[in-house]
Amino acid sequence: MSTTTVETSATVTEDRPASAGDKRRARGERSLAASLASHGILIAGSVVALFPVAWLVFLSLGPDKDDYLHPGGIWRKMTFDNYTFVLQHTNFFDWLKSSLIVSLGTTVLGVLVAATTGYAVSRMRFPGYRKFMWVLLVTQMFPVAVLMVPMYQILADLQLIDSYLGLILVYCSTAVPYCAWLLKGYFDTIPFEIDEAGRVDGLTPFGTFVRLILPLARPGLAVAAFYSFITAFGEVAFATTFLLDDQKYTLAVGLQSFISEHDAQRNLMAATAVLIAIPVSAFFYLVQKNLVTGLTAGGTKG
C-alpha cells in the first residue's frame, strides 16, 4: 500500500508542470545580464584595438605636419594629398619592392628550413636531440644589440652587406628557431601511422614528408609563414644597419626618412604607415583560414 502511494506521488510530481520558480537554465546557457556584460567587454576591447588604427588614418588626412597637435581642425580640411605625395614624390614603390623581396624570401626559405627541422625533431631521435632543442630555444633569448656586431662581421666576410640575401639570412636566423618549435608541436599531432603507410607504399622519408605530411600540416605552415612574413616586413634595426643604398630600403626603414634632426613630417609618416598596412592585411587575409587552426592545434598531441 505504501509502495503504491509513493509511486503515485512521484507520477504526479513528474506530470505537474514546472512553475516559474522551478525553471532552471540549461547547461551552458547564460543569463541576460551575463550576455550583456560579455558583449560590453567585447565591444570595449574592439574599440581599444581599433582606435589606434582609426586615429592613424584620421591623422593621415591632415595636410599639415603639425595637425596632430590640433586634431580637431582636421575635420575642416581633410585631403588625400599626403597619399599623393608619398606615392609620387618618394621612393615608396622601391621600398615596397624591397620589403616584398625580403619578406617573401624570408617566408619561403624560413618555412622550408623550419618545416624540415620541425619534422626531423618530431619524428627522429638522434644523438644530441635534447641539446639541439635547447639551442633552438636559447637563440631566441639574445637581444638585437648583442647580435648586431657578429652578424655584421659575418655578412661582411661573405660580402653580403647591402644585399637582399644577407638580410633574408639574418631574418631567417631569428624566425626559423621559433617556427621550428611551432611546427614540431604541430607535427606531433599528426599520427605516426601516416609515415608508416607512406613507407609501405614505397615512398622515401622525404617523399612521405612532402606528399603526405605537408598537406596535413597546412594550418601550421600558415602560422609559420605569417610569423616569418611579419618578422621580416616590420623589422627596422637589422635593415637599417645592413642596407646602405636608399634604393634598397625596406618600408620600415624608409618610414624613418620623414624624421630628421630638425623636422618631422608626421602627416606623411601617417599616410605611409597606412599604406604599409595594406600588404600585411592582404597577406593575413590569404592565411586567415588556417591561422586559428594552426595556432591551437600545435598545443595538443593527438
Side-chain angles (χ1 to χ4, degrees), residues 7-237:
E7 290 178 352
T8 303
S9 303
T11 303
V12 172
T13 303
E14 290 176 358
D15 294 340
R16 181 170 56 87
S19 61
D22 294 335
K23 290 183 179 179
R24 296 292 185 271
R25 289 191 298 272
R27 180 176 297 179
E29 183 182 353
R30 293 179 298 183
S31 64
L32 178 61
S35 298
L36 292 176
S38 62
H39 281 78
I41 293 174
L42 291 175
I43 292 173
S46 300
V47 171
V48 171
L50 294 176
F51 177 76
V53 179
W55 186 251
L56 182 66
V57 174
F58 178 68
L59 292 181
S60 70
L61 299 176
D64 300 326
K65 62 182 180 181
D66 295 328
D67 281 338
Y68 73 98
L69 297 175
H70 310 284
I74 296 179
W75 292 106
R76 299 188 300 272
K77 51 182 181 179
M78 282 187 177
T79 179
F80 290 97
D81 290 345
N82 294 329
Y83 294 94
T84 303
F85 182 88
V86 170
L87 295 175
Q88 295 182 354
H89 301 287
T90 67
N91 294 329
F92 177 82
F93 291 104
D94 292 330
W95 302 339
L96 178 61
K97 180 190 71 174
S98 299
S99 293
L100 291 178
I101 291 174
V102 173
S103 300
L104 294 177
T106 302
T107 301
V108 173
L109 181 60
V111 172
L112 177 62
V113 176
T116 53
T117 303
Y119 179 73
V121 172
S122 174
R123 292 296 195 263
M124 305 173 187
R125 293 298 178 265
F126 46 86
Y129 159 77
R130 293 188 178 277
K131 293 181 180 179
F132 179 70
M133 295 297 294
W134 277 106
V135 168
L136 291 178
L137 184 62
V138 170
T139 53
Q140 299 292 300
M141 301 180 182
F142 293 97
V144 174
V146 174
L147 299 174
M148 193 74 69
V149 174
M151 284 189 173
Y152 189 93
Q153 185 63 47
I154 293 173
L155 293 182
D157 294 339
L158 297 175
Q159 297 182 352
L160 292 177
I161 295 295
D162 196 26
S163 68
Y164 294 137
L165 178 59
L167 196 58
I168 289 173
L169 294 177
V170 169
Y171 290 156
C172 284
S173 67
T174 58
V176 166
Y178 172 78
C179 292
W181 267 94
L182 174 73
L183 291 174
K184 188 266 182 188
Y186 194 87
F187 288 138
D188 286 343
T189 66
I190 300 176
F192 188 73
E193 288 77 9
I194 294 178
D195 299 67
E196 296 177 343
R199 306 285 176 82
V200 171
D201 290 339
L203 293 176
T204 62
F206 186 75
T208 302
F209 171 67
V210 173
R211 300 181 61 179
L212 299 180
I213 302 301
L214 285 185
L216 296 175
R218 188 178 302 169
L221 295 174
V223 177
F226 185 71
Y227 174 80
S228 300
F229 185 87
I230 293 297
T231 298
F233 197 85
E235 201 279 331
V236 178

Side-chain angles (χ1 to χ4, degrees), residues 261-278:
E261 184 178 356
H262 304 289
D263 190 21
Q265 297 173 312
R266 302 186 185 277
N267 55 330
L268 300 180
M269 283 187 62
T272 306
V274 174
L275 294 173
I276 290 175
I278 295 177

